[in-house]
């Protein structure tokens, strides 16, 4: 039940992020090379960024409270529900034009290896906080913001002023859950990067390359803490994907 409750909370947050993110992306021109999973991961990453901005505005005005946090999340779920029918129609249209290549023997082996590498990453976020950095300043700063509902300078912290914006998501998690829930937000960043790497491998090479790339990133990631390393990588990767989409959409003269 402990794991189910935390993964259920993560699913609700992902749906809300996707709702806000797709609400923005749907108003832009679609990328030239369509891929539903890559676009979905980018929408969630964009939604995460929008959540950070919203929480920062709330914290600046001292209104970063559990009620406001739940309201922003709930609104994102509503936005996602409103967009779901059009997204499903779009998915069906893309699937009609897609012909999946048969799986080779080595591709099947690579996918099995990827799944085996992913299993520890699914369990790792359930661990209690134990990493030095998260106990020294990431979670203590997030706890102060969550309790006070505002940004501040706390002299007793290792870093009294700690403007790592992703920690605002950790603060929101502490408002509505326990100190394990931030681990899932950190793991979410790593998981989104894995999805993007896999889909980029599929678009530019083949399944074997996609599985190898995704497995390497899974193996390098640390999913048992509430740090920001994988978050930075996610936003850099999302920026690169966005730049690639923009370059692909430029008219050729």
């Amino acid at each position: 039940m402990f794991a189910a409750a935390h993964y259920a909370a993560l699913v609700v947050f992902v749906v809300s992020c996707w709702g806000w993110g797709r609400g923005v992306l749907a108003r832009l021109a679609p990328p030239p090379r369509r891929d539903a999973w890559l676009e979905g991961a980018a929408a969630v990453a964009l939604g995460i960024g929008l959540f950070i901005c919203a929480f920062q505005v709330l914290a600046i005005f001292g209104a970063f409270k559990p009620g406001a946090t739940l309201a922003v999340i709930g609104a994102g779920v509503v936005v996602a529900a409103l967009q779901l029918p059009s997204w499903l129609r779009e998915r069906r249209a893309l699937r009609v034009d897609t012909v999946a290549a048969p799986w080779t023997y080595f591709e099947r082996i690579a996918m099995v290896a990827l799944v085996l590498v992913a299993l520890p990453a699914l369990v790792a976020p359930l661990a209690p906080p134990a990493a030095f950095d998260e106990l020294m300043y990431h979670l203590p700063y997030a706890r102060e913001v969550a309790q006070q509902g505002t940004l501040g300078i706390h002299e007793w912290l290792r870093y009294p002023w700690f403007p790592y914006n992703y920690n605002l998501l950790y603060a929101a998690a502490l408002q509505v859950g326990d100190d394990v829930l931030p681990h899932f937000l950190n793991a979410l960043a790593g998981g989104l990067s894995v999805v993007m790497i896999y889909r980029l491998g599929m678009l530019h090479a083949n399944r074997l390359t996609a599985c190898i790339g995704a497995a390497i990133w899974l193996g390098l990631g640390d999913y048992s803490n509430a740090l920001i390393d994988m978050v930075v990588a996610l936003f850099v990767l999302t920026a690169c994907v966005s730049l690639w989409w923009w370059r692909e959409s430029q008219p050729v003269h």
Side-chain angles (χ1 to χ4, degrees):
M1 289 299 296
F2 181 79
H6 284 76
Y7 270 108
L10 179 64
V11 169
V12 172
F13 180 69
V14 170
V15 170
S16 185
C17 288
W18 178 82
W20 288 123
R22 190 178 188 279
V24 175
L25 293 181
R27 285 157 177 77
L28 304 176
R33 298 176 65 179
R34 304 298 305 273
D35 185 277
W37 286 101
L38 182 60
E39 293 173 33
V44 176
L46 175 57
I48 290 174
L50 295 175
F51 262 102
I52 292 173
C53 293
F55 289 158
Q56 188 162 37
V57 171
L58 290 171
I60 288 173
F61 291 98
F64 187 28
K65 304 294 184 180
T69 297
L70 292 174
V72 177
I73 295 174
V77 173
V78 172
V79 173
L82 294 175
Q83 296 182 94
L84 184 60
S86 62
W87 179 78
L88 291 175
R89 289 194 297 269
E90 187 176 289
R91 283 277 295 158
R92 286 193 291 267
L94 290 175
R95 196 177 293 121
V96 169
D97 299 329
T98 302
V99 179
W103 287 73
T104 66
Y105 174 75
F106 291 106
E107 288 174 348
R108 293 179 186 275
I109 294 177
M111 178 55 69
V112 171
L114 176 59
V115 172
L116 293 176
V117 173
L119 291 178
L122 295 175
V123 179
L126 295 168
F132 175 81
D133 290 353
E134 68 174 339
L135 293 177
M136 283 296 295
Y137 43 90
H138 285 283
L139 292 183
Y141 179 79
R143 176 71 70 183
E144 287 295 317
V145 175
Q147 291 177 344
Q148 299 183 15
T150 185
L151 300 177
I153 298 176
H154 311 291
E155 295 182 357
W156 62 273
L157 285 174
R158 187 184 185 194
Y159 298 107
W161 175 247
F162 200 67
Y164 288 177
N165 290 335
Y166 203 80
N167 284 338
L168 294 176
L169 296 184
Y170 298 158
L174 293 174
Q175 287 179 342
V176 301
D178 55 23
D179 55 5
V180 172
L181 192 55
H183 290 177
F184 285 80
L185 299 179
N186 176 60
L188 171 62
L192 288 173
S193 297
V194 169
V195 172
M196 289 185 180
I197 290 171
Y198 181 84
R199 297 312 303 176
L200 288 170
M202 290 290 291
L203 288 171
H204 292 278
N206 49 50
R207 286 197 191 99
L208 183 60
T209 302
C211 289
I212 293 174
I216 290 174
W217 184 250
L218 270 171
L220 291 175
D222 190 350
Y223 299 84
S224 61
N225 56 52
L227 306 183
I228 62 167
D229 305 78
M230 292 198 299
V231 176
V232 174
L234 169 65
F235 287 139
V236 171
L237 178 58
T238 304
C240 291
V241 171
S242 302
L243 178 61
W244 171 57
W245 282 343
W246 177 72
R247 291 292 300 271
E248 289 268 306
S249 65
Q250 295 301 299
V252 179
H253 298 288

